[in-house]
Amino acid sequence: MTLPQRIVDFVNPRAKHQFKGRTCSIRSVGSYVPEKILTNHDIAQRVNTSDEWITSRTGIKERRIAAADQYTSHLAANAALDALKKGDVKPEEVDLIIVATITPDMPFPATACLVQKIIGAEKAAAFDLEAACSGFIYGLEIGQQFIMSQTCNTVLVIGAEKLSTIIDWEDRNTCVLFGDGAGAAILQNRPDSHGLLTTVMGSDGNKGDLLCMPAGGSKNPANGDTIKDRLHYLRMDGRETFKHAVNAMYKAAREVLNRCQLKISQIKHIIPHQANKRIISAVSDRLQATKDQVFINLDKYGNTSAASVAIALDEAAANGCLKRGDLILLVVFGAGLTWGAAIIEW
Ligand code: UT7
């Protein structure tokens, strides 16, 4: 697909001058989800809920749960190896690894460094990024900067979570929503594609309390009281978070469309953060998108936070949904609060 010149001009205004036509494309994607499936019926054995409630309020039917000896770095490395294989890229070619996660193996070293070791990406620099469910789009934007500036030729961006370790399995408000998994993308310059056309990122720290894990950091280091008070688990004001999610995702999506002077009808696929089917419907209705445009797989995996859009992107690609030249809109929202959107020429 040939893009109107005005889009190219907007997208990479520096490209023709400073970067001599360089662009940043997704060369390949990959994903990994653990084998163990936890259904709504399974959860209804533990807390006072039902498959009917969870399905009608969220669209989720089941989610994956990692084994006790399987950590976020393992999920991330499996997704990375899948993306490397599909892109025919060797681990030694990777210059930079960015892992977006809120469930690192441990506070430090960075999970990205653990991934670097597992996959044998010997020359890669590695760091983690924490933007909760928005992490993958933040990672794409950061990775893009390294490609465009020619600091790196190959950047591996991973969204990975073992959320089952920070879920309060006694809290029915949250335990029904989340799952474990990882998705990865390899970024490179591809001269025949516009790649990442534009990205927006946003945040509002005033509303950080809506979705947080109160203890385990410098504010409330782990002690007997924090454990007794169950402060090492994710807490969320679901109703308020829902409202902000719809507004922020809609605005971010509109902004990237406006920047590229694109109509929603020109977008082939919308891949939103897979938090809740009702949030996705509300956002796509406001964008006046059709149902066929919107990719949803949350019924199988629940909300996997930073991994969610990456897993969905890989599944859409594996299903043959994404064709060279298709315009894809990614849109996310998460704790922080954070949000973001991106338009990609596939
Ligand atoms: O990744 C981004 C961050 N997270 C999100 O995007 C999540 C955003 N929020 C949501 O998706 C929705 O707010 C929820 C799915 C979490 C909740 O749906 P809701 O329609 O907003 O329900 P609610 O919180 O208003 O609760 C309605 C009722 C309450 O009972 P009362 O007070 O009306 O008697 C809850 O106690 O549903 C009750 N409830 C449940 N009932 C059965 C809450 N959780 C459950 C449950 N099973 N699991």
Side-chain angles (χ1 to χ4, degrees), residues 239-250:
R239 215 173 284 187
E240 274 303 301
T241 306
F242 188 110
K243 282 189 232 159
H244 289 292
V246 173
N247 275 329
M249 289 171 79
Y250 170 72

Side-chain angles (χ1 to χ4, degrees), residues 49 53 57 133 172-173 236 238-239 273 276 278-279 303:
T49 189
W53 192 96
R57 298 289 175 127
C133 305
R172 70 174 184 171
N173 291 295
M236 179 173 70
R239 215 173 284 187
H273 172 44
N276 184 321
R278 287 158 52 220
I279 293 177
N303 180 348

Side-chain angles (χ1 to χ4, degrees), residues 190 215 335:
R190 196 171 79 201

Side-chain angles (χ1 to χ4, degrees), residues 53-326:
W53 192 96
I54 303 169
T55 307
S56 62
R57 298 289 175 127
T58 71
I60 299 165
K61 297 297 284 183
E62 57 190 42
R63 67 289 291 146
R64 301 300 179 101
I65 304 293
D69 61 354
Q70 204 176 26
Y71 317 131
T72 297
S73 61
H74 299 136
L75 309 183
N78 285 342
L81 290 170
D82 187 35
L84 289 165
K85 191 172 163 203
K86 287 175 181 161
D88 196 21
V89 176
K90 294 188 183 64
E92 310 87 85
E93 292 175 56
V94 177
D95 299 304
L96 175 65
I97 302 173
I98 302 172
V99 173
T101 187
I102 53 168
T103 48
D105 285 22
M106 54 194 115
F108 64 89
T111 299
C113 294
L114 306 174
V115 171
Q116 186 247 5
K117 176 187 159 194
I118 298 171
I119 67 172
E122 287 160 14
K123 74 168 183 190
F127 65 86
D128 286 0
L129 113 71
E130 207 276 70
C133 305
S134 306
F136 187 67
I137 285 191
Y138 272 57
L140 290 181
E141 171 64 4
I142 294 165
Q144 168 174 235
Q145 304 299 327
F146 284 90
I147 299 286
M148 296 299 281
S149 65
Q150 303 193 33
T151 309
C152 296
N153 288 321
T154 303
V155 176
L156 174 58
V157 179
I158 308 170
E161 303 286 8
K162 186 175 179 183
L163 294 170
S164 55
T165 54
I166 61 161
I167 298 302
D168 184 346
W169 290 103
E170 293 179 11
D171 176 13
R172 70 174 184 171
N173 291 295
T174 53
C175 76
V176 300
L177 302 174
F178 299 96
D180 300 336
I186 293 177
L187 305 185
Q188 286 182 341
N189 169 43
R190 196 171 79 201
D192 63 343
S193 166
H194 297 109
L196 274 160
L197 295 181
T198 197
T199 310
V200 300
M201 303 184 293
S203 65
D204 181 1
N206 290 311
K207 301 191 178 66
D209 288 347
L210 291 181
L211 179 47
C212 64
M213 188 171 96
S218 60
K219 183 177 177 185
N220 293 310
N223 60 43
D225 287 340
T226 62
I227 292 169
K228 183 168 62 61
D229 295 339
R230 308 183 77 76
L231 299 182
H232 295 274
Y233 293 122
L234 174 156
R235 290 187 172 185
M236 179 173 70
D237 177 338
R239 215 173 284 187
E240 274 303 301
T241 306
F242 188 110
K243 282 189 232 159
H244 289 292
V246 173
N247 275 329
M249 289 171 79
Y250 170 72
K251 281 188 187 154
R254 269 261 62 95
E255 189 174 339
V256 288
L257 288 166
N258 291 346
R259 277 189 192 181
C260 294
Q261 300 176 34
L262 286 168
K263 295 195 199 83
I264 192 71
S265 57
Q266 291 172 275
I267 298 291
K268 186 78 192 217
H269 298 285
I270 302 170
I271 303 192
H273 172 44
Q274 307 285 313
N276 184 321
K277 198 176 67 181
R278 287 158 52 220
I279 293 177
I280 294 174
S281 299
V283 174
S284 39
D285 286 352
R286 283 178 73 178
L287 288 170
Q288 299 185 311
T290 64
K291 281 203 166 55
D292 293 347
Q293 284 173 287
V294 185
F295 188 87
I296 297 184
N297 67 357
L298 57 75
D299 49 316
K300 292 183 288 187
Y301 308 121
N303 180 348
T304 56
S305 188
S308 137
V309 158
I311 294 172
L313 196 58
D314 183 46
E315 199 166 301
N319 292 349
C321 295
L322 311 182
K323 303 270 180 291
R324 273 282 181 103
D326 283 353

Side-chain angles (χ1 to χ4, degrees), residues 1-12 16 23-25 190-198 256-257 259-263 265-268 323-329 343-346:
M1 171 180 178
T2 309
L3 289 171
Q5 187 58 35
R6 66 178 187 280
I7 296 178
V8 183
D9 286 346
F10 173 79
V11 170
N12 286 316
K16 282 180 290 183
T23 62
C24 174
S25 287
R190 196 171 79 201
D192 63 343
S193 166
H194 297 109
L196 274 160
L197 295 181
T198 197
V256 288
L257 288 166
R259 277 189 192 181
C260 294
Q261 300 176 34
L262 286 168
K263 295 195 199 83
S265 57
Q266 291 172 275
I267 298 291
K268 186 78 192 217
K323 303 270 180 291
R324 273 282 181 103
D326 283 353
L327 292 177
I328 300 163
L329 168 64
I343 295 179
I344 300 169
E345 186 204 20
W346 193 248

